[in-house]
Amino acid sequence: QQQVKQSPQSLIVQKGGISIINCAYENTAFDYFPWYQQFPGKGPALLIAIRPDVSEKKEGRFTISFNKSAKQFSLHIMDSQPGDSATYFCAASLSNYGQNFVFGPGTRLSVLP
Amino acid sequence: DGGITQSPKYLFRKEGQNVTLSCEQNLNHDAMYWYRQDPGQGLRLIYYSQIVNDFQKGDIAEGYSVSREKKESFPLTVTSAQKNPTAFYLCASSITSSNIQYFGAGTRLSVL
């Protein structure tokens, strides 16, 4: 019940295209869903996050879509750029309990120039 | 600059040796965490601490030890009991009541 599944494992997109990464969770008690971006040799950095009371959140070129009934959420990167090439992790947790983060296995995104 | 500093960036361990990874933060965060990252896997929680002089085991604590004597510092010791220590180790911190974790740049540990 604590697992977060993430797909695809790797993704190659042309510059200007849309990158889509999907995650699914099992524990219906989760109520905070962040996405982290990690560049090689660096620590992950929070990109965008959503709570289940909304179905979509947009910040610039990054959008999270959330489907509570299906227990799925996805990250959409519009107008993908080579600088977006990184590994993206979805995660799920209970509010105010940082130690209960469950991370997906990650998606390595490559945006071709 | 506020942030989390991990050192060293690269570390090599010999058989039977204990090694200590440093993590320092100047964000005034109460909570600190240690994660292990292996290729193709998500981050796995080793230990976490919500307050000075208190810490709890995470999902994969065996073969590791920590201390939290100061708010700013949360060192991780990889003991000789950890038979497969080769990994990328990440330290993070957060405000206790917040989900937002801030990560350091990591330490890559290898076995000689």
Side-chain angles (χ1 to χ4, degrees):
Chain A
Q1 268 223 323
Q2 290 294 94
Q3 192 177 13
V4 173
K5 298 179 180 179
Q6 183 174 347
S7 62
Q9 186 175 1
S10 62
L11 181 61
I12 299 175
V13 174
Q14 292 286 340
K15 178 182 177 181
I18 301 173
S19 303
I20 302 174
I21 305 171
N22 301 299
C23 283
Y25 62 98
E26 299 169 354
N27 188 345
T28 55
F30 288 142
D31 61 358
Y32 179 74
F33 303 90
W35 284 90
Y36 279 83
Q37 179 188 56
Q38 184 180 27
F39 294 105
K42 304 293 184 183
L46 180 65
L47 187 64
I48 187 172
I50 196 168
R51 295 191 185 275
D53 53 344
V54 297
S55 60
E56 185 176 283
K57 182 175 182 179
K58 184 176 181 179
E59 290 184 4
R61 295 184 294 109
F62 301 91
T63 300
I64 299 180
S65 298
F66 187 83
N67 186 330
K68 188 174 182 178
S69 61
K71 294 185 286 185
Q72 296 175 347
F73 58 109
S74 60
L75 176 69
H76 295 233
I77 306 175
M78 310 299 288
D79 187 26
S80 299
Q81 299 296 313
D84 297 331
S85 297
T87 298
Y88 293 81
F89 294 94
C90 63
S93 79
L94 301 171
S95 286
N96 302 329
Y97 287 93
Q99 66 272 16
N100 282 346
F101 265 82
V102 179
F103 286 87
T107 294
R108 180 173 290 184
L109 172 65
S110 298
V111 181
L112 303 179
Chain B
D1 274 340
I4 301 176
T5 302
Q6 290 188 241
S7 62
K9 190 172 179 68
Y10 300 97
L11 187 59
F12 297 91
R13 193 191 88 167
K14 296 179 181 178
E15 286 289 334
Q17 186 181 39
N18 293 351
V19 292
T20 298
L21 285 62
S22 171
C23 179
E24 303 278 332
Q25 55 98 359
N26 60 5
L27 299 169
N28 200 33
H29 287 170
D30 290 306
M32 296 187 75
Y33 313 84
W34 273 106
Y35 291 92
R36 171 178 171 141
Q37 185 175 27
D38 294 283
Q41 295 192 38
L43 282 65
R44 293 183 290 169
L45 184 64
I46 304 173
Y47 269 98
Y48 65 96
S49 168
Q50 291 185 293
I51 196 169
V52 174
N53 292 323
D54 187 47
F55 48 83
Q56 283 77 42
K57 294 182 179 180
D59 300 321
I60 56 166
E62 187 175 349
Y64 301 97
S65 66
V66 294
S67 63
R68 186 85 187 275
E69 298 177 1
K70 299 187 299 182
K71 186 176 184 178
E72 303 80 20
S73 179
F74 191 40
L76 173 73
T77 296
V78 183
T79 74
S80 57
Q82 173 48 247
K83 298 306 179 186
N84 183 25
T86 298
F88 190 51
Y89 291 87
L90 288 160
C91 178
S93 71
S94 72
I95 301 171
T96 303
S97 60
S98 170
N99 293 99
I100 301 174
Q101 294 189 12
Y102 298 86
F103 285 84
T107 292
R108 187 165 299 280
L109 175 62
S110 302
V111 177
L112 288 177

